[in-house]
Amino acid sequence: MTDQTYSPGLKEPVFDSQAIFRAALSALSLPALKFKLSADRLPQQAPLPPLAAGLALTLLDFDSPAWLSPSWSKAAGWLAFHNGVKPAAPGAASFILAAGLTELPALEQLSPGDERCPERSATVIVNCPRAENELPVYAEGPGLKRPRLLPPSGLSSAFVRFWQANHARYPLGLDLIALNGDGLWALPRSAKLSAEPERRAV
Amino acid sequence: MSQPCRRQYLELLTLASSASLRRGLDGYRQNLKYEFIRPPETGLIMVRGRQGNTGALFNIGEMLVTRCAVKHEDHIGQAWVAGRNAAKAELAALGDALAQNRAYAEALAPFFEQLRRERLGRINRETKDIMTTKVNFITMVRGEDKND
Amino acid sequence: MYVAVKGGEEAIGNAHKLLAAQRRGDPAVPEIEIEQIGGQLSRAVARVMAEASLYAPREAALAVKQAQGDLIEAVFLLRASRAAWPRFGYSEALDADKMQIKRRISGVWKDLPGGQILGPTFDYSHRLLDASLAEKKEPAQTPTAEPGRERTEAGETEIVFDCPKAMRALSRQGLIEEEPAVAREPLDLTREPLDFPAGRDLRLQNLARADEGFLLSLAYSSQRGFGSVHPFVSELRLGTVKVEIIPPELGFPLAIGEIEITECETVNQFHGGGALKPCFTRGYGLVFGCNERKALSMAIVDRALRAKEFGEEIKGPAQDEEFVMQHSDNIEAAGFVEHIKLPHYVDFQAELSMLKSLRENYRQGGGRDE
């Protein structure tokens, strides 16, 4: 246990987690659109960056084993203390928490759920600070009237290829929440990625 | 403080009545500065048993509990108490934090001794009552056994 | 078919007011308090906790008050509030061997270690209405409480009376099937959809929260011949046990409270023969609170449901796990039975017009009205 095991969680557990949940829900409903969260809703002394810490306390519990990427593994005790979160190998994890795109495990080995319970797939929460994407990437699908350009976050063409395959196995598949500075955006499995928007794009 | 010892007084705090904790700890609660690491939170623990008491596990049902963690100086105090009882959880967590602190441990020793005695008194009283209902069988000698 | 119908808001509001007034009753009579229900109607509270599958005496007492003593309604209230609380985790397994005993009897051993301890029981009462209870009187005294005697003698050590499980005698001699601990995580029917065939872990969880009346009738049916379980009671025990958890950050077991439970172990017909060494088989009942009728019924039904495991012929409903497990929950049952009182205006119109057209066909075919 590190000293930070016992650092405080959410200040107002009910209201803060509601606000954070609302942001995550909105982000998954309106793919690739960033939703901001005010800092006073988020744990500031946690062993994770405030946004990741708040999201983890809101979404994870003892029923959702999590894999933490190397730079964040020191938060395991803190997550166990507050929410009873158990550590898991990537393939068995309900949540993947990664400090950056380079720290992600191979996405192919994560659980996409099964036909009977597709909701039991893994959700990837990854820190994506502002960085140039290799190429402009557009998301389309439910929640998007027209293709939307993904926020610049350093996504590679390999990621786009993976996501195309991920989308193709719908209703199975991963969902992704990207933490981007003071807010978050998301890609649900229903979102399709393409390097250039189709004709109807404006 | 060693773990077995902490385990014992954590149990005393958990199993004590709210009134006993108030009597011993409310003064500290009012006068000391401490922060919540985890404010009192009510939730559920699924209680487990074993098939035939020794076999494979099964889930019996849930139990309502309140947990709390506080930080006083450098000490983290924790509590898990039965029921929806934020005030008791807070006092018990503070009691745990103080008991780990050399500056308070000695002053609190009589309080813990009192909790121990209260619990012992209650158990012994109940045991004595229950023991009065133990059956003493009187075997009746029956006539037809004469020829055996 | 369900069609939303609006209206009746004012009537509903007034119905709630009327219900609240009815619950309160005659205002000249003092209002009943939660502590009175918890202390003086403790068996009702125990039943509500067992069937709600939530050990929360204060909230269960409140539910009994709010439901005006309708215990199934009280179970419903407690189940509904349970849904709003987060789950923190699982306890370590209870150990009824370490119970602080309030009652323990055995139907198979007269002289067993620890003895027969009757505790607070209705068993030997004459079931005569006690008119004196209708009067206010002094609190009843416990057996050791003599008037004037100092009641708070603490003593230095705990009075221990050793009451090992009655089953030990049989298990030491290998005459009862073994019940070895296995490390497998049990399934939880509040988390997983019910699937058949169900394991004994799920069956016991289902029975522990089952409607007492339903279990009692099933157990009775099995004893009478719809099934074949008519066991001996190795032991029935009532008392309190500590509940412990291991918080991940502490890493050692921590007591979080004490709960009252009733446990029943039964000895049942032989299993084995041929190549298998014959031995008695077990039935197990464990319920929240003081509730031995339910613990006994549970042990009988648990054993009845093991019919397949022992290759026994299924002769009665108590042995049929789908029948038992899908009909044991009184909240599900009440919901489905009671929903028929709700508006079915459109369905009924359809049935009515169908009947009218059948009547028309009947008339045209030469049939006549009476």
Side-chain angles (χ1 to χ4, degrees):
Chain A
M1 300 278 137
T2 64
D3 291 345
Q4 278 181 302
T5 292
Y6 296 111
S7 69
L10 300 170
K11 250 181 289 174
E12 295 277 353
V14 173
F15 299 111
D16 294 346
S17 64
Q18 280 176 355
I20 297 167
F21 188 82
R22 179 73 235 183
L25 185 64
S26 303
L28 283 160
S29 312
L30 299 167
L33 191 61
K34 183 168 158 180
F35 289 83
K36 289 187 180 178
L37 268 163
S38 76
D40 59 2
R41 291 266 178 233
L42 304 170
Q44 297 297 332
Q45 304 159 44
L48 289 175
L51 199 55
L55 200 58
L57 289 190
T58 301
L59 298 182
L60 277 59
D61 68 8
F62 70 94
D63 260 348
S64 54
W67 179 86
L68 296 171
S69 79
S71 317
W72 283 359
S73 59
K74 62 182 189 299
W78 182 77
L79 285 171
F81 170 70
H82 281 287
N83 284 23
V85 178
K86 292 179 192 133
S94 304
F95 286 93
I96 300 292
L97 274 74
L101 289 167
T102 54
E103 289 199 16
L104 280 177
L107 296 175
E108 294 78 10
Q109 62 170 326
L110 305 184
S111 165
D114 58 52
E115 294 291 346
R116 193 170 154 178
C117 301
E119 78 281 6
R120 295 196 179 170
S121 60
T123 300
V124 177
I125 298 174
V126 57
N127 196 34
C128 293
R130 194 180 169 82
E132 283 312 307
N133 291 334
E134 271 180 26
L135 50 155
V137 185
Y138 293 84
E140 305 174 55
L144 296 168
K145 215 171 199 171
R146 56 180 71 88
R148 180 176 290 132
L149 186 64
L150 255 54
S153 41
L155 291 179
S156 66
S157 48
F159 176 84
V160 175
R161 274 197 303 281
F162 168 78
W163 200 265
Q164 281 161 344
N166 186 55
H167 172 75
R169 56 186 169 171
Y170 189 87
L172 306 189
L174 312 179
D175 304 305
L176 178 137
I177 299 176
L179 311 178
N180 186 263
D182 56 353
L184 50 89
W185 57 271
L187 280 180
R189 67 196 77 177
S190 58
K192 194 175 160 187
L193 293 189
S194 53
E196 51 188 274
E198 285 173 20
R199 281 186 306 280
R200 55 196 169 76
V202 186
Chain B
M1 202 164 279
S2 71
Q3 281 194 351
C5 187
R6 182 167 178 216
R7 193 181 157 185
Q8 280 161 6
Y9 69 69
L10 274 171
E11 184 166 317
L12 285 173
L13 289 166
T14 300
L15 301 181
S17 69
S18 298
S20 297
L21 293 194
R22 258 199 313 278
R23 205 179 48 233
L25 296 169
D26 205 49
Y28 294 106
R29 186 186 67 80
Q30 290 179 30
N31 298 319
L32 296 181
K33 275 214 167 4
Y34 58 93
E35 63 168 321
F36 284 122
I37 300 300
R38 183 158 69 191
E41 182 186 13
T42 298
L44 307 165
I45 289 288
M46 176 55 91
V47 179
R48 285 180 163 170
R50 291 188 177 279
Q51 303 173 15
N53 198 49
T54 56
L57 293 166
F58 72 101
N59 295 303
I60 304 166
E62 287 163 315
M63 172 184 177
L64 196 62
V65 298
T66 305
R67 64 179 185 178
C68 177
V70 302
K71 184 175 183 182
H72 172 257
E73 294 176 0
D74 278 340
H75 301 281
I76 306 290
Q78 290 205 58
W80 294 72
V81 303
R84 179 155 56 166
N85 198 339
K88 182 180 172 187
E90 183 179 342
L91 284 174
L94 180 60
D96 178 32
L98 297 180
Q100 295 170 61
N101 190 333
R102 273 161 201 261
Y104 294 89
E106 204 173 322
L108 279 171
F111 165 65
F112 281 108
E113 175 58 16
Q114 195 185 1
L115 290 188
R116 193 186 68 82
R117 281 175 166 269
E118 277 172 10
R119 181 167 161 71
L120 204 59
R122 185 175 61 76
I123 291 175
N124 284 353
R125 217 158 44 234
E126 283 174 11
T127 305
K128 280 185 192 163
D129 279 332
I130 298 296
M131 290 300 274
T132 64
T133 69
K134 184 168 166 173
V135 179
N136 288 312
F137 287 104
I138 301 161
T139 309
M140 311 295 277
V141 180
R142 301 203 294 176
E144 60 264 31
D145 290 346
K146 212 166 20 185
N147 298 330
D148 284 357
Chain C
M1 181 179 177
Y2 296 90
V3 175
V5 181
K6 283 183 85 169
E9 227 171 280
E10 196 184 340
I12 291 169
N14 288 334
H16 286 163
K17 280 182 199 155
L18 202 55
L19 182 72
Q22 188 197 56
R23 182 191 59 68
R24 178 61 184 85
D26 182 354
V29 176
E31 181 161 356
I32 192 166
E33 285 172 24
I34 302 302
E35 290 72 19
Q36 293 174 315
I37 296 171
Q40 295 169 50
L41 298 176
S42 58
R43 310 263 173 149
V45 171
R47 182 170 178 182
V48 170
M49 294 195 298
E51 291 170 24
S53 199
L54 177 65
Y55 199 94
R58 205 182 147 75
E59 285 66 25
L62 177 61
V64 170
K65 174 174 175 174
Q66 189 179 334
Q68 304 183 26
D70 177 338
L71 297 190
I72 293 186
E73 182 68 23
V75 171
F76 199 165
L77 291 169
L78 206 53
R79 284 260 185 101
S81 41
R82 173 217 168 262
W85 282 306
R87 189 186 281 180
F88 294 149
Y90 294 90
S91 82
E92 296 301 288
L94 300 183
D95 187 357
D97 220 356
K98 293 186 186 146
M99 177 186 276
Q100 198 202 331
I101 286 180
K102 291 184 178 161
R103 166 170 166 80
R104 79 81 79 108
I105 51 169
S106 170
V108 294
W109 311 110
K110 180 169 72 72
D111 297 304
L112 73 167
Q116 309 270 358
I117 297 160
L118 302 182
T121 175
F122 291 121
D123 283 357
Y124 310 96
S125 67
H126 294 109
R127 266 75 186 212
L128 297 173
L129 268 180
D130 181 358
S132 74
L133 282 177
E135 312 285 323
K136 275 203 177 139
K137 50 179 193 175
E138 291 298 302
Q141 299 285 353
T142 61
T144 57
E146 286 151 22
R149 190 168 143 189
E150 182 50 57
R151 297 273 287 119
T152 46
E153 45 176 309
E156 275 311 303
T157 51
E158 188 173 333
I159 305 171
V160 178
F161 64 107
D162 197 22
C163 269
K165 297 302 276 302
M167 201 63 106
R168 263 191 212 176
L170 286 178
S171 61
R172 271 210 197 112
Q173 297 174 64
L175 295 174
I176 184 106
E177 58 166 326
E178 284 185 22
E179 193 83 89
V182 282
R184 191 165 37 85
E185 274 291 290
L187 293 179
D188 182 350
L189 56 81
T190 68
R191 303 263 147 168
E192 307 281 334
L194 196 52
D195 213 352
F196 298 104
R200 195 171 170 213
D201 51 351
L202 276 185
R203 295 200 304 253
L204 286 170
Q205 184 182 9
N206 179 284
L207 297 179
R209 57 195 258 146
D211 182 80
E212 179 184 322
F214 179 75
L215 276 195
L216 178 66
S217 295
L218 281 175
Y220 183 42
S221 72
S222 176
Q223 286 179 299
R224 285 193 65 254
F226 290 86
S228 55
V229 178
H230 193 136
F232 295 101
V233 173
S234 168
E235 184 173 358
L236 187 60
R237 53 167 67 192
L238 160 73
T240 51
V241 287
K242 278 180 204 162
V243 181
E244 293 185 328
I245 57 165
I246 300 183
E249 69 283 358
L250 291 183
F252 59 86
L254 173 68
I256 56 171
E258 284 172 309
I259 62 171
E260 188 172 65
I261 56 168
T262 310
E263 190 206 37
C264 176
E265 286 190 279
T266 58
V267 176
N268 298 263
Q269 58 263 54
F270 315 111
H271 167 59
L276 270 173
K277 192 159 71 176
C279 61
F280 289 122
T281 56
R282 293 172 187 254
Y284 192 61
L286 179 65
V287 293
F288 281 158
C290 171
N291 199 337
E292 64 187 44
R293 193 186 301 118
K294 182 168 176 184
L296 282 160
S297 305
M298 178 172 167
I300 291 175
V301 177
D302 168 47
R303 177 59 187 83
L305 288 173
R306 298 179 68 197
K308 244 189 270 172
E309 185 185 334
F310 296 122
E312 294 162 353
E313 188 194 348
I314 308 271
K315 290 184 296 187
Q319 296 166 300
D320 179 338
E321 67 177 17
E322 285 198 44
F323 180 82
V324 173
M325 293 177 75
Q326 290 191 323
H327 300 108
S328 65
D329 190 286
N330 54 23
I331 301 309
E332 281 175 22
F336 202 56
V337 168
E338 293 191 32
H339 96 279
I340 62 171
K341 71 191 171 187
L342 298 173
H344 284 65
Y345 307 140
V346 178
D347 310 52
F348 186 67
Q349 283 306 316
E351 296 285 310
L352 201 58
S353 69
M354 172 66 86
L355 180 63
K356 280 180 180 160
S357 72
L358 288 172
R359 273 289 174 85
E360 185 59 25
N361 293 347
Y362 168 78
R363 204 180 51 78
Q364 283 175 3
R368 278 187 299 164
D369 293 337
E370 296 292 306

